[in-house]
Amino acid sequence: MVDILHRVGIKAPLDAVYQALATRDGVAGWWTNDTQGDSRVGGALRFTFHAGGAEIGGFEMTVIALQPGALVRWEVVNGPAEWIGTRIGFELKQEGEYVIVLFRHEGWKEPIEFMHHCSTKWAIFLMSLKALVETGTGQPNPNDVKIDNWN
Amino acid sequence: MVDILHRVGIKAPLDAVYQALATRDGVAGWWTNDTQGDSRVGGALRFTFHAGGAEIGGFEMTVIALQPGALVRWEVVNGPAEWIGTRIGFELKQEGEYVIVLFRHEGWKEPIEFMHHCSTKWAIFLMSLKALVETGTGQPNPNDVKIDNWN
């Protein structure tokens, strides 16, 4: 089992960062505009990605944990085969004027090339989260920063 | 042992990407302006980082492999304790109009919080490498994009 790890610090109130992770409208502001479903614990969230007006893929997740101001966790139930069964967690804590986000996408079976891509792309999206909360404007798909020939 | 993995695609000639990784002036254009030493196999490279005019840390690496157009590998011999003995590799290949860089920073003993930070920061620096080769201008330290309260 191998994990993708990241850390960003956001200069904003803890609750603002939490809301950007724990609500549908929040996630739509930094990951993908096309975020649908129920963001409560046990609910199913559907994240769909687009390029040039066409759908290029997506993920369905179950919300498995919500701790206000502290933690958001999802489990992948549908999407690319390599993602199914993996878990995505955002752990929050305050350090001075920063809210620290510790990110982990855990449970990958093998360190395949697609995992390398997803690792870089998660960093880009976490910087989009930081921009959203600090400035009001993120770069969710379809306006996300492209990193390679896969997106 | 745990690894940091990334993948970026760069629209440029393969040799231009290789030169940005295999030469001192190349690395100075995307990682840190203050890159010193000998970039030949067996040589020692010193990467020093600055903030507000003061030195904030650095790494010394031995170049352990150079394969033109294909691979650059370093081993960390001095720097933060968690980095010593780890290895950093850049594997290159052509896919259509993109040069794909598969990055691996391997041999971390534990998935500590500092590793989360370094993972995100490597993504930022690989995007700086991409910008350098595609546009002529990277964002090496001290002009690097800051991600959190650690830099």
Side-chain angles (χ1 to χ4, degrees):
Chain A
M1 292 291 202
V2 281
D3 304 340
I4 294 170
L5 310 176
H6 288 297
R7 183 185 197 271
V8 294
I10 302 178
K11 279 193 189 180
L14 183 55
D15 190 59
V17 179
Y18 179 72
Q19 293 300 327
L21 293 166
T23 69
R24 202 173 54 189
D25 284 355
V27 180
W30 63 268
W31 198 24
T32 174
N33 283 344
D34 190 351
T35 295
Q36 308 290 337
D38 179 356
S39 63
R40 291 171 295 185
V41 174
L45 284 168
R46 287 183 311 281
F47 306 100
T48 309
F49 293 77
H50 302 264
E55 194 179 313
I56 54 168
F59 311 104
E60 188 180 327
M61 317 250 189
T62 302
V63 179
I64 55 174
L66 287 179
Q67 293 173 21
L71 180 70
V72 173
R73 277 189 104 209
W74 305 324
E75 182 167 328
V76 182
V77 293
N78 217 332
E82 301 90 343
W83 276 54
I84 295 174
T86 62
R87 291 164 305 284
I88 293 161
F90 306 85
E91 209 183 301
L92 307 182
K93 61 179 176 177
Q94 189 83 45
E95 282 190 9
E97 57 186 346
Y98 286 87
V99 175
I100 302 302
V101 181
L102 288 179
F103 171 89
R104 184 178 295 184
H105 184 174
E106 58 185 337
W108 289 76
K109 289 190 183 71
E110 300 288 342
I112 53 172
E113 193 168 338
F114 183 47
M115 184 178 168
H116 293 64
H117 167 88
C118 293
S119 174
T120 312
K121 198 76 194 192
W122 272 126
I124 295 296
F125 281 121
L126 289 165
M127 293 302 283
S128 168
L129 165 69
K130 176 175 165 71
L132 172 69
V133 181
E134 289 181 349
T135 72
T137 307
Q139 290 187 281
N141 176 268
N143 301 314
D144 50 326
V145 175
K146 309 308 186 213
I147 62 167
D148 61 20
N149 56 337
W150 290 349
N151 196 24
Chain B
M1 290 291 203
V2 281
D3 302 342
I4 294 170
L5 309 175
H6 287 296
R7 182 186 198 270
V8 294
I10 302 178
K11 278 192 190 181
L14 183 56
D15 189 60
V17 179
Y18 180 73
Q19 293 301 327
L21 293 167
T23 69
R24 202 173 54 189
D25 285 354
V27 180
W30 63 268
W31 197 25
T32 176
N33 282 345
D34 190 352
T35 296
Q36 309 290 338
D38 180 356
S39 63
R40 292 171 294 185
V41 173
L45 284 169
R46 287 184 311 281
F47 306 100
T48 309
F49 293 77
H50 301 265
E55 193 178 313
I56 55 168
F59 311 104
E60 189 179 329
M61 317 251 189
T62 302
V63 179
I64 55 174
L66 287 179
Q67 294 173 21
L71 179 72
V72 173
R73 276 189 104 209
W74 305 324
E75 182 166 328
V76 182
V77 293
N78 216 332
E82 301 90 344
W83 277 54
I84 296 175
T86 62
R87 291 163 306 284
I88 293 161
F90 306 84
E91 210 182 303
L92 307 182
K93 61 179 175 177
Q94 190 83 44
E95 282 190 11
E97 58 186 346
Y98 286 86
V99 175
I100 303 300
V101 181
L102 287 178
F103 171 89
R104 185 178 292 184
H105 184 173
E106 58 186 336
W108 289 77
K109 289 190 184 69
E110 301 286 342
I112 52 172
E113 193 167 338
F114 183 47
M115 185 178 168
H116 293 66
H117 167 88
C118 294
S119 175
T120 312
K121 198 77 194 191
W122 272 125
I124 295 296
F125 281 121
L126 289 165
M127 292 303 283
S128 168
L129 165 69
K130 176 175 165 69
L132 172 70
V133 181
E134 290 181 349
T135 72
T137 307
Q139 290 187 281
N141 177 269
N143 301 314
D144 50 326
V145 175
K146 308 310 184 211
I147 62 167
D148 61 20
N149 56 337
W150 290 348
N151 195 24

